[in-house]
Amino acid sequence: MSSQSSLSNATVHNGPFMDDSLRALRRGLLAQMDVQHDAQLPGGEGSSRGGPDDQESTARGGDFSLMLDMGFASVGGKGNEGTEGAEEAEAKGEAAGASASRPVMFVSHEPLVFACLRHSLNIPDSEYRAAFQDEGFQALKPATSKSGRSFYMTQDDRFILKSLSRAEADFLLEVLCQYYEHVAKHPSTLLPRFCGLYEVSEKGRDVLICIEANANLTLETFSPSSQSSAVA
């Protein structure tokens, strides 16, 4: 990853652009999980597949990338909630013609390693995917962030989303293999429980977001004993 596209807190982490980036992240994550489930090759060489809503998806090397068209995703920075919003967005898009297209690049970094991490942490892919089915995220108060970055939570409270700087993301990827080895040996570790690292890019602006399991819910929600008792 190039250090030239480092993030700007003022323009990237706040406002409508961040809202649109979260919508793109959710859409890309769900599409990636579908491809991963069907192909069983989240990091397979040269595997590709286009979904009904995306332009192109590829999984090469360690990353999975997906080009999304978010042209009708928002109007004036607000999500098109309900049928009326969708119809309004579509009408404006048709009037604008080709300019309505909004290509957004979604990248899932090292999806195979993170899938193994989630397995070591007893987090089933089905439950990870289900947490992102609900549209929208809970914004946590800025006071919870000493670094000044943005924090969000899924609607079921199971996962925390945190925006990262390029340097922070690079460091996470640098130590990812050692981190995985530690988690595999110590699944009850008190370290943050990283579940994924994603990047959304549009018109030269990038947002990097890591997803962690909520430490307050991890043990009781995802532990094998709680799952078996729930089945019983």
Side-chain angles (χ1 to χ4, degrees), residues 35-112:
V35 172
Q36 176 179 327
H37 178 269
D38 292 345
Q40 296 183 348
L41 284 173
E45 296 183 1
S47 63
S48 65
R49 170 185 167 181
D53 297 321
D54 63 76
Q55 298 178 19
E56 180 182 3
S57 59
T58 59
R60 296 190 179 92
D63 297 340
F64 172 94
S65 61
L66 175 68
M67 181 65 74
L68 301 169
D69 185 352
M70 303 296 291
F72 302 130
S74 64
V75 179
K78 297 182 180 180
N80 48 331
E81 300 175 358
T83 304
E84 294 183 1
E87 291 176 350
E88 179 184 358
E90 185 172 357
K92 289 187 177 182
E94 290 177 352
S99 62
S101 178
R102 278 185 53 211
V104 176
M105 177 62 72
F106 165 85
V107 178
S108 174
H109 292 287
E110 299 293 348
L112 181 58

Side-chain angles (χ1 to χ4, degrees), residues 29-204:
L29 186 150
L30 292 175
Q32 181 237 317
M33 295 292 290
D34 287 342
V35 172
Q36 176 179 327
H37 178 269
D38 292 345
Q40 296 183 348
L41 284 173
E45 296 183 1
S47 63
S48 65
R49 170 185 167 181
D53 297 321
D54 63 76
Q55 298 178 19
E56 180 182 3
S57 59
T58 59
R60 296 190 179 92
D63 297 340
F64 172 94
S65 61
L66 175 68
M67 181 65 74
L68 301 169
D69 185 352
M70 303 296 291
F72 302 130
S74 64
V75 179
K78 297 182 180 180
N80 48 331
E81 300 175 358
T83 304
E84 294 183 1
E87 291 176 350
E88 179 184 358
E90 185 172 357
K92 289 187 177 182
E94 290 177 352
S99 62
S101 178
R102 278 185 53 211
V104 176
M105 177 62 72
F106 165 85
V107 178
S108 174
H109 292 287
E110 299 293 348
L112 181 58
V113 179
F114 281 109
C116 293
L117 270 170
R118 294 194 298 271
H119 177 75
S120 296
L121 295 170
N122 298 310
I123 301 176
D125 279 351
S126 58
E127 295 194 21
Y128 185 62
R129 189 187 193 285
F132 294 89
Q133 290 282 19
D134 293 332
E135 190 168 354
F137 300 97
Q138 307 174 59
L140 303 183
K141 295 181 180 179
T144 62
S145 172
K146 294 182 179 180
S147 63
R149 305 222 174 263
S150 302
F151 283 76
Y152 299 86
M153 185 183 294
T154 55
Q155 294 292 346
D156 61 3
D157 297 343
R158 292 188 175 186
F159 298 97
I160 304 293
L161 293 78
K162 177 187 177 183
S163 61
L164 298 182
S165 68
R166 180 69 64 180
E168 290 170 329
D170 284 346
F171 178 75
L172 176 57
L173 292 174
E174 182 180 342
V175 301
L176 189 59
C177 290
Q178 296 96 314
Y179 172 79
Y180 167 70
E181 292 174 357
H182 176 82
V183 171
K185 294 178 181 178
H186 309 284
S188 298
T189 179
L190 297 179
L191 292 175
R193 300 182 170 220
F194 297 112
C195 298
L197 176 62
Y198 306 94
E199 183 171 355
V200 176
S201 304
E202 180 183 5
K203 295 181 179 179

